[in-house]
Amino acid sequence: MEVVLIACGSFNPITNMHLRMFELARDHLQDTEKYRVVRGIISPVGDGYRKKGLIEARHRVEMARLATKTSDWIEVDTWESLQPDWVETAKVVRHHYEELKAAQRDQGEDGTVSCGKKRRMEEEHPSTNEAQPPQLFLLCGADVLESFGVPNLWKPEDVEELAGHGVVCITRGGSDPEKFVHQSDVLWRHRRNIHLVREWVTNEVSATHVRRSLRRGRSVRYLLPDAVVTYVKEERLYSAQSEQKNADVVLAPLARYADAGPS
Amino acid sequence: MAAGRIPLVLLACGSFNPITNQHMRLFELARDHMHSTGNYQVVKGIVSPVSDGYGKQGLVSAEHRNAMAKLALQTSDWIKVDEWESDQPDWTETVITMRHHHGCILKQYQQSTGPSPQLKLLCGADFLEGFRVPGLWQPEDLEELAGAYGLVCVSRGGLQPERAAHESDTLWRHRRNVFLVREWVRNEASATEVRRALRRGLSAKYLLPDAVVDYIGRHALYTDASESKNQGTLLRPLAKQYPPGGTGGSLG
């Protein structure tokens, strides 16, 4: 079964740890011998998210592009970052899933050449069902999975939708995602779609740490791809000032769901 | 260079089997730390891969380890690979390597005015643990390392260099020459883990520079076979201590 991985997040900035998540997820899924990961998508969040310290999307997108130049399967998608308002992750996944389905349909409409090719492919890869679009799995860290429980951060029906598609969760030191899945009825119901990848090698290099180091004039070389380090320096991103952005503003999902009130 | 600062060269000795982003982070962290003391100007970093004679299990040839380190450091403007140690016919004690490099540095700075340049050993906290292994270090070598040169030691995982420094009388006596750098984020992507991943056909991308990942792929370097190399062989520093047939000094 073909799989596409999508990671939504601030990527503020993208780090080697983010990129490692993709590699780990791909290795894990292909090791099950049930999945073939064909593509990875990095979808940086839009500025409308209003997270403290979130710098402009155009920089975050460019850094992610620089970071994935040497990857032959991971790419950056700007759809989410270009939307005027913050977009729920479930909507982003829905959007990309529709695109995958459309691409599948376009392939199927190519006529006789395509039919012959399909037949040959089915003979070579009998398990591949060419009529099905690839599965789209949300790739995330354990902290995101656990954030499903934070009040007003996620809509219950969105969690349901995401779990329905599939989630690949990379454990991060200090979390226990298995326990969390066990304690959440929604996640437990979809447990077969939730793939937990144990990261045996602790890697706590977070974007937060990177920003902190940069504010303090410390080197972040080898925590991010070289091209990103250069870009950060040239554009003078990440200062005490940039970290204060959105300091007095409410995070978009909290604002949106709190406003909605009890239905 | 800021007036009055001591020119400082950081030397890292190790297997570099292979070199990883974690190794190179040591240099960056150490440089930042030493600059922030206000007393030093780090002018150079040296990666000195150990010679094949070390006899460590899984050690691939120095030729490859040097090539990978060179590729990794292509984009660094201050850290270089030096092959002197790996070129020596036998394994070389760290202090001997330090003496060699210190000599080179003094020659370079012969003409300049200002403070005399210094050389310090750069290492992770695990390195200090090695001081406690019987026979691995000669007491007089440890004395020279800490007294004549000094160390810059970066914390690693749960290992706190403070404890190892505290537990060694030699290090304690020369504590003003021992600089302990706290690495606040754990980043345990060690060469051991990298080799493990590669043996299992898993990705090591983003743990090492791309050029090194490519090199390893092209030469099919790290396999079950390569990890078995030197299995059962005594590590050279220990073999030197206890030659076959003799009982060595401290066994009595």
Side-chain angles (χ1 to χ4, degrees):
Chain A
M1 188 177 293
E2 288 192 343
V3 169
V4 172
L5 299 173
I6 179 166
C8 299
S10 305
F11 298 103
N12 187 34
I14 193 162
T15 67
N16 283 343
M17 190 193 68
H18 292 127
L19 298 161
R20 276 302 294 159
M21 281 193 347
F22 278 90
E23 298 288 308
L24 288 163
R26 181 167 72 159
D27 280 344
H28 176 92
L29 289 174
Q30 298 196 154
D31 197 52
T32 63
E33 292 181 351
K34 283 195 281 194
Y35 304 102
R36 192 162 62 91
V37 178
V38 296
R39 201 161 127 221
I41 302 172
I42 292 175
S43 176
V45 79
D47 294 331
Y49 188 49
R50 306 273 184 93
K51 192 172 182 182
K52 183 165 172 284
L54 190 71
I55 67 167
E56 295 152 293
R58 67 183 174 95
H59 285 309
R60 293 182 288 111
V61 164
E62 182 56 19
M63 290 188 285
R65 277 211 182 105
L66 290 168
T68 50
K69 255 207 291 212
T70 64
S71 177
D72 61 3
W73 69 286
I74 308 169
E75 61 200 40
V76 185
D77 190 280
T78 54
W79 181 82
E80 182 180 359
S81 65
L82 292 174
Q83 303 310 304
D85 288 326
W86 169 69
V87 183
E88 286 92 337
T89 302
K91 280 211 180 76
V92 177
V93 170
R94 214 180 293 154
H95 164 81
H96 284 282
Y97 191 59
E98 291 306 313
E99 289 212 324
L100 288 174
K101 282 200 290 192
Q104 191 76 25
R105 277 195 301 269
D106 291 345
Q107 271 186 2
E109 278 156 16
D110 275 347
T112 52
V113 173
S114 165
C115 282
K117 187 179 177 193
K118 266 167 91 165
R119 212 177 10 256
R120 243 182 299 119
M121 285 189 76
E122 272 155 15
E123 281 162 23
E124 285 168 26
H125 309 278
S127 57
T128 307
N129 184 350
E130 285 305 299
Q132 289 280 84
Q135 293 219 267
L136 183 60
F137 288 174
L138 180 70
L139 171 64
C140 64
D143 55 329
V144 172
L145 198 74
E146 292 185 9
S147 80
F148 289 163
V150 173
N152 287 332
L153 195 57
W154 296 86
K155 277 195 304 214
E157 54 267 36
D158 282 2
V159 176
E160 184 83 44
E161 186 175 347
L162 289 169
H165 274 284
V167 178
V168 185
C169 171
I170 315 289
T171 64
R172 206 163 156 178
S175 12
D176 189 352
E178 259 177 314
K179 186 165 177 200
F180 193 75
V181 171
H182 164 74
Q183 288 175 340
S184 155
D185 285 343
V186 173
L187 296 182
W188 189 82
R189 232 180 310 118
H190 295 284
R191 63 195 179 283
R192 279 173 208 89
N193 277 352
I194 299 174
H195 308 267
L196 302 175
V197 184
R198 203 60 202 280
E199 162 64 308
W200 294 107
V201 179
T202 310
N203 188 346
E204 292 172 3
V205 180
S206 62
T208 303
H209 171 78
V210 167
R211 293 197 307 276
R212 185 180 295 131
S213 299
L214 287 165
R215 277 202 300 282
R216 299 176 183 184
R218 300 284 203 245
S219 164
V220 292
R221 202 89 198 269
Y222 312 117
L223 298 180
L224 325 175
D226 278 349
V228 182
V229 177
T230 306
Y231 185 86
V232 167
K233 211 181 300 186
E234 284 172 357
E235 299 288 325
R236 292 172 212 249
L237 306 175
Y238 302 119
S239 58
Q241 195 186 23
S242 70
E243 196 65 13
Q244 286 313 303
K245 185 151 176 232
N246 293 322
D248 50 355
V249 166
V250 180
L251 200 67
L254 297 176
R256 192 175 295 175
Y257 301 149
D259 282 349
S263 43
Chain B
M1 143 140 52
R5 285 193 183 222
I6 300 165
L8 178 61
V9 176
L10 299 172
L11 170 71
C13 297
S15 305
F16 298 102
N17 185 36
I19 194 167
T20 64
N21 284 344
Q22 191 194 48
H23 290 130
M24 296 184 290
R25 276 305 292 160
L26 291 186
F27 281 91
E28 298 288 310
L29 287 160
R31 180 167 72 161
D32 281 346
H33 181 92
M34 298 311 283
H35 281 175
S36 72
T37 64
N39 299 324
Y40 296 94
Q41 179 70 35
V42 177
V43 297
K44 194 159 147 211
I46 302 173
V47 165
S48 175
V50 79
S51 79
D52 292 333
Y54 188 47
K56 191 172 182 183
Q57 191 180 340
L59 195 69
V60 305
S61 80
E63 182 204 335
H64 286 309
R65 290 181 291 115
N66 282 320
M68 290 186 286
K70 283 204 184 98
L71 286 169
L73 295 168
Q74 284 180 134
T75 59
S76 177
D77 61 0
W78 70 285
I79 312 169
K80 299 275 180 299
V81 185
D82 191 286
E83 298 185 28
W84 182 85
E85 183 180 355
S86 59
D87 278 346
Q88 301 311 300
D90 191 3
W91 168 74
T92 310
E93 282 87 345
T94 300
V95 282
I96 295 180
T97 304
M98 293 193 79
R99 271 180 225 153
H100 164 80
H101 285 290
H102 193 227
C104 294
I105 294 158
L106 287 177
K107 232 178 271 174
Q108 255 186 293
Y109 279 78
Q110 227 168 14
Q111 303 305 329
S112 65
T113 55
S116 189
Q118 290 185 12
L119 175 72
K120 296 204 186 306
L121 186 71
L122 169 63
C123 61
D126 55 319
F127 187 84
L128 299 193
E129 301 295 316
F131 297 154
R132 294 200 284 193
V133 174
L136 199 55
W137 282 84
Q138 291 300 287
E140 57 269 26
D141 286 353
L142 195 47
E143 181 69 36
E144 184 178 343
L145 171 61
Y149 302 112
L151 295 97
V152 183
C153 179
V154 181
S155 66
R156 190 177 170 177
L159 289 175
Q160 297 309 322
E162 289 86 356
R163 170 166 295 282
H166 161 74
E167 287 174 359
S168 156
D169 287 343
T170 310
L171 292 183
W172 187 83
R173 226 174 322 111
H174 297 291
R175 58 196 178 282
R176 279 166 209 89
N177 272 351
V178 179
F179 296 84
L180 303 175
V181 186
R182 249 345 253 291
E183 160 63 304
W184 296 104
V185 283
R186 289 168 58 151
N187 185 356
E188 290 168 6
S190 63
T192 302
E193 282 297 336
V194 165
R195 292 197 308 276
R196 183 174 291 136
L198 291 166
R199 274 202 301 284
R200 298 176 182 183
L202 302 174
S203 164
K205 201 164 160 121
Y206 312 115
L207 299 179
L208 324 172
D210 283 344
V212 181
V213 175
D214 286 341
Y215 184 94
I216 293 171
R218 269 182 288 123
H219 291 92
L221 276 190
Y222 291 110
T223 59
D224 289 337
S226 72
E227 196 66 14
S228 310
K229 192 175 167 200
N230 291 325
Q231 194 161 36
T233 310
L234 195 59
L235 210 57
R236 189 74 187 104
L238 298 174
K240 268 176 108 162
Q241 281 308 293
Y242 309 119
T247 52
S250 54
L251 280 183

